[in-house]
């Protein structure tokens, strides 16, 4: 079992910045991908950004150039730096950890955090 704990979500004005953190603990040795997902009002959960153990990053088109994912593997922590925030970024943000079978591109197992609320509003 892997435990994921997010922090950093809050109310922020449009154009502002925010950094989310996710700390992983437990049986984390086999995890090779960590990322952030979000679910806005009336929407499906979507990938925001992910970071592989090899250093490869992936971003949703809607956040490219504004968000940056980074990791500190020695501390089993991943961050999401969010700049130039827009009202449409309002969502619950979830930390995700996966054991991905890279040859197949499939997920053997994954874990989710409880989520942290980010609200972008004046």
């Amino acid at each position: 079992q892997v435990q994921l704990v997010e922090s950093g979500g809050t109310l922020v004005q449009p154009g502002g910045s925010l950094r989310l953190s996710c700390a992983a603990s437990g049986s984390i040795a086999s995890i090779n991908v960590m990322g952030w997902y979000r679910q806005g009002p009336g929407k499906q959960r979507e990938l925001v950004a992910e970071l592989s153990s090899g250093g490869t990053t992936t971003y949703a088109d809607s956040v490219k150039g504004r968000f940056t994912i980074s990791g500190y593997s020695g501390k089993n922590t991943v961050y999401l730096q969010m700049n130039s925030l827009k009202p449409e970024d309002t969502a619950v943000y979830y930390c995700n950890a996966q054991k991905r079978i890279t040859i197949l591109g499939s997920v053997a197992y994954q874990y989710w955090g409880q989520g942290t609320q980010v609200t972008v509003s004046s």
Side-chain angles (χ1 to χ4, degrees):
Q1 180 74 6
V2 172
Q3 189 75 29
L4 303 174
V5 180
E6 303 102 330
S7 62
T10 189
L11 173 66
V12 62
Q13 291 189 325
S17 296
L18 198 62
R19 189 179 74 163
L20 305 182
S21 300
C22 174
S25 61
S27 303
I28 51 84
S30 64
I31 298 297
N32 60 358
V33 180
M34 294 192 70
W36 292 93
Y37 290 70
R38 69 185 181 188
Q39 187 167 15
K43 296 183 178 181
Q44 297 292 310
R45 187 175 299 185
E46 65 174 351
L47 174 69
V48 178
E50 65 178 16
L51 173 67
S52 76
S53 60
T56 301
T57 58
T58 302
Y59 295 93
D61 288 341
S62 59
V63 307
K64 287 180 179 177
R66 299 189 298 121
F67 291 10
T68 303
I69 187 171
S70 62
Y72 203 166
S73 59
K75 296 182 178 180
N76 301 312
T77 304
V78 64
Y79 305 94
L80 184 68
Q81 178 66 46
M82 304 185 292
N83 299 324
S84 302
L85 284 162
K86 304 174 180 179
E88 52 263 45
D89 295 319
T90 296
V92 177
Y93 284 71
Y94 297 91
C95 186
N96 172 265
Q98 299 177 6
K99 170 57 180 178
R100 185 176 295 170
I101 304 172
T102 56
I103 295 174
L104 301 177
S106 61
V107 178
Y109 47 82
Q110 63 183 327
Y111 304 89
W112 295 95
Q114 294 298 116
T116 185
Q117 177 71 49
V118 174
T119 302
V120 184
S121 176
S122 298

